[in-house]
Amino acid sequence: MERKFVFGTAVTDYNFTGRSKETERLKTAFRSGINVILMSARRLGKTSLVKHVCQQLKSEEIITVYLDIFSCKSEYDFYNKLATEVLKQTASRKELWLDEAKDFMLRLAPKISLSPNPTSEFSIALGITPKTHSPEEVLSLAENIAVRKQKRIVVCIDEFQQIGEMDNSAQVQARLRAIWQHQKHVSYCLFGSKRHLMSSIFLHRSMPFYQFGDLIALEKISTKEWVEYIVSHFADGNKIITNEQAESICTFVDNYSSYVQQLAWILYTQTKEGEGVTEESVNIAKQDLLNVNEILFMQMVEPLSEYQFNFLRAVVNGVHSDFGLAEIRETYKLGSYSNIARLKKALLERDIITSENKTITLTDPVFEQWFKRKMM
Ligand SMILES: Nc1ncnc2c1ncn2[C@@H]1O[C@H](COP(=O)(O)OP(=O)(O)OP(=O)(O)O)[C@@H](O)[C@H]1O
Ligand SMILES: [Mg+2]
């Protein structure tokens, strides 16, 4: 039986809603070979959207390759992952991908090992190292395959901000860009969270990936779409929620995708079949949402210094700019004028605050609610 509400993993089909404009925009870009950079705060729906688009393009003459590079800590970790997924996902016969791989890449030394991943019994490491393969060789692989198969390939790389965390990050970026920009049959969809890292890769004039492609900042799913989704999914389980109650779920979490689903799920489980949601149960569910996330929130505040903490208090109290003013620094005990830039930088790097048009807000609306109740 399908879950009525899903959070924490990418969603598809029954659990996927909205995003029609973004879906079309990505499909057009993928079909025309335009590179795309997709950015948003955490858990808004990047992975779900890209997988949704890849799914929809399945029947077309385009091969999409999806890879998540969250676990890649070094340049060659990335090359191994890239080569493996490109070879696997472009193979004509999936089960024979390793045989086919040998046609496209020389000197492979695949090693089969038991996988820590419970969904597959073993994993295959291609054994690509600086001694066996140059970066150029790996980075040209997709283009060579596309030419040989006479198909367009779109390589979608999730958690791309990891590239920004590598020791030789600038050098890696320069290498990727230098090769990718000349490819005629392959385009890229690069996406990830951690705003400061993604920005440092894509929004800085001096960096290789500046203006690499069509930049999309993923917006929130609209209240109207969420209300329809919530009301109909309650109804599927023979439970009743009013439009206003569904709307109040959205407001509480500021339309933040994963929290909308999580809060709806909590409320859904607390509602009996054949019955309707009550005001009281909505309030209890909201409190429960804060409680179940408390461990994560505690982890976020634990490492903060007193000044950083005070800075958050100021933001939660409605201060969004001009932190340097003497009055604000004194009211919230933020220290010296020069301290302000340091505080901002540290909190931006932790992704706790977001800065847009010089306005500072907390990144996570539910964390904000929790902070307001517990830390003020
Ligand atoms: N289109 C959608 N329809 C319904 N729910 C969605 C949609 N997109 C995202 N969600 C909700 O948000 C959660 C997170 O989605 P997803 O993992 O795609 O986001 P993300 O931006 O890739 O997150 P992360 O920053 O952690 O990589 C999902 O588990 C689901 O609850
Ligand atoms: Mg994701």
Side-chain angles (χ1 to χ4, degrees), residues 230-279:
I230 295 167
V231 171
S232 68
H233 282 217
F234 266 74
D236 288 346
N238 192 25
K239 300 180 185 189
I240 303 154
I241 184 169
T242 66
N243 285 4
E244 291 69 34
Q245 288 165 336
E247 223 174 289
S248 100
I249 289 182
C250 299
T251 313
F252 188 72
V253 301
D254 198 15
N255 286 29
Y256 219 85
S257 306
S258 94
Y259 286 132
V260 174
Q261 294 248 28
Q262 191 175 13
L263 181 51
W265 173 247
I266 294 173
L267 188 56
Y268 181 84
T269 56
Q270 292 174 356
T271 308
K272 290 205 182 80
E273 249 186 82
E275 292 188 5
V277 167
T278 62
E279 289 319 302

Side-chain angles (χ1 to χ4, degrees), residues 26 29-30 32-38 50 65 67 78 82 86 136 138-144 146 152-157 160 175-177 179-191 202 209 212-214:
L26 283 185
F30 284 18
S32 348
I34 294 170
N35 296 320
V36 177
I37 294 128
L38 181 63
V50 173
V65 173
L67 60 145
F78 170 64
L82 179 68
V86 167
E136 290 73 19
V138 182
L139 294 171
S140 310
L141 175 66
E143 177 76 3
N144 294 340
R152 164 165 295 295
I153 296 179
V154 184
V155 180
C156 305
I157 308 182
F160 193 77
R175 280 193 184 129
L176 305 190
R177 167 100 203 210
I179 296 182
W180 286 351
Q181 70 184 348
H182 296 299
Q183 299 184 337
K184 297 209 163 52
H185 306 85
V186 182
S187 59
Y188 294 84
C189 172
L190 309 175
F191 56 114
F202 294 106
F209 275 98
F212 178 67
D214 196 1

Side-chain angles (χ1 to χ4, degrees), residues 284-335:
I284 292 173
K286 287 176 184 170
Q287 189 55 50
D288 284 354
L289 178 72
L290 300 182
N291 292 343
V292 294
N293 285 293
E294 179 152 285
I295 295 176
L296 297 176
F297 297 154
M298 292 292 278
Q299 263 174 11
M300 282 163 71
V301 294
E302 211 177 61
L304 300 186
S305 70
E306 195 175 334
Y307 282 132
Q308 291 169 352
F309 219 88
N310 292 344
F311 191 95
L312 291 189
R313 285 207 176 98
V315 180
V316 169
N317 250 332
V319 183
H320 299 293
S321 58
D322 300 323
F323 293 87
L325 293 180
E327 197 189 316
I328 291 176
R329 283 189 286 117
E330 274 157 33
T331 311
Y332 293 101
K333 301 199 174 59
L334 301 178

Side-chain angles (χ1 to χ4, degrees), residues 10 42-43 45-48 66 68 158-159 191-193:
R42 296 220 54 201
R43 304 248 185 269
K46 297 173 294 293
T47 304
S48 304
Y66 167 89
D68 175 340
D158 203 346
E159 306 288 358
F191 56 114
S193 29

Side-chain angles (χ1 to χ4, degrees), residues 6-11 15-17 19 40-48 159 193 221 226 257-258 261:
V6 170
F7 51 92
T9 59
V11 289
N15 296 108
F16 186 94
T17 185
R19 299 273 185 242
S40 83
R42 296 220 54 201
R43 304 248 185 269
L44 270 197
K46 297 173 294 293
T47 304
S48 304
E159 306 288 358
S193 29
I221 295 170
W226 275 128
S257 306
S258 94
Q261 294 248 28

Side-chain angles (χ1 to χ4, degrees), residues 17-33:
T17 185
R19 299 273 185 242
S20 52
K21 242 179 37 216
E22 294 92 336
T23 302
E24 283 316 307
R25 187 163 168 196
L26 283 185
K27 275 159 83 174
T28 307
F30 284 18
R31 288 187 186 118
S32 348

